[in-house]
Amino acid sequence: MTMPQADTTAGLGLLVTRPREPVLRRADTDLRAGDIDPLRITPEMQIGLWGRACARCGSPDKPLSPGGYAYTRARGGGRLGWLVELCARCLPTADFRCPW
């Protein structure tokens, strides 16, 4: 069995790898937009919930500023609040209204 040419470098059997670039989310995937199902949290979303990337676009660019809360669902119908951060590009257009 041979490896496909697309997976090799010049047919030498070397696996092609590319450096991983930061994954940026679209503005319509803002973590603050609604309650997040904890079973559907991706690694990129988790980084945003931890405050290490922008909760709106996913950019890890520093400095990040407080940007409100994101909520994940909890057992029994509860919600867990996460203090999230926003980058300088998203901060001027952020909506800080209280969800209650």
Side-chain angles (χ1 to χ4, degrees), residues 5-55:
Q5 287 288 12
D7 294 338
T8 62
T9 302
L12 299 175
L14 301 174
L15 185 62
V16 176
T17 60
R18 294 187 182 116
R20 191 159 189 198
E21 297 177 15
V23 177
L24 301 180
R25 291 186 302 274
R26 297 187 324 259
D28 61 345
T29 58
D30 190 339
L31 292 177
R32 303 165 303 146
D35 290 356
I36 301 168
D37 182 355
L39 298 177
R40 302 201 186 279
I41 294 176
T42 64
E44 290 81 16
M45 292 169 76
Q46 189 67 49
I47 292 169
L49 290 173
W50 288 338
R52 295 183 183 158
C54 179

Side-chain angles (χ1 to χ4, degrees), residues 37-100:
D37 182 355
L39 298 177
R40 302 201 186 279
I41 294 176
T42 64
E44 290 81 16
M45 292 169 76
Q46 189 67 49
I47 292 169
L49 290 173
W50 288 338
R52 295 183 183 158
C54 179
R56 188 166 187 206
C57 70
S59 170
D61 295 342
K62 304 289 184 201
L64 295 171
S65 301
Y69 289 89
Y71 295 93
T72 54
R73 286 184 259 168
R75 287 187 186 189
R79 298 167 73 195
L80 300 173
W82 300 76
L83 180 62
V84 295
E85 306 277 329
L86 295 178
C87 67
R89 288 185 309 243
C90 293
L91 194 59
T93 60
D95 185 4
F96 289 105
R97 288 178 289 177
C98 179
W100 302 101

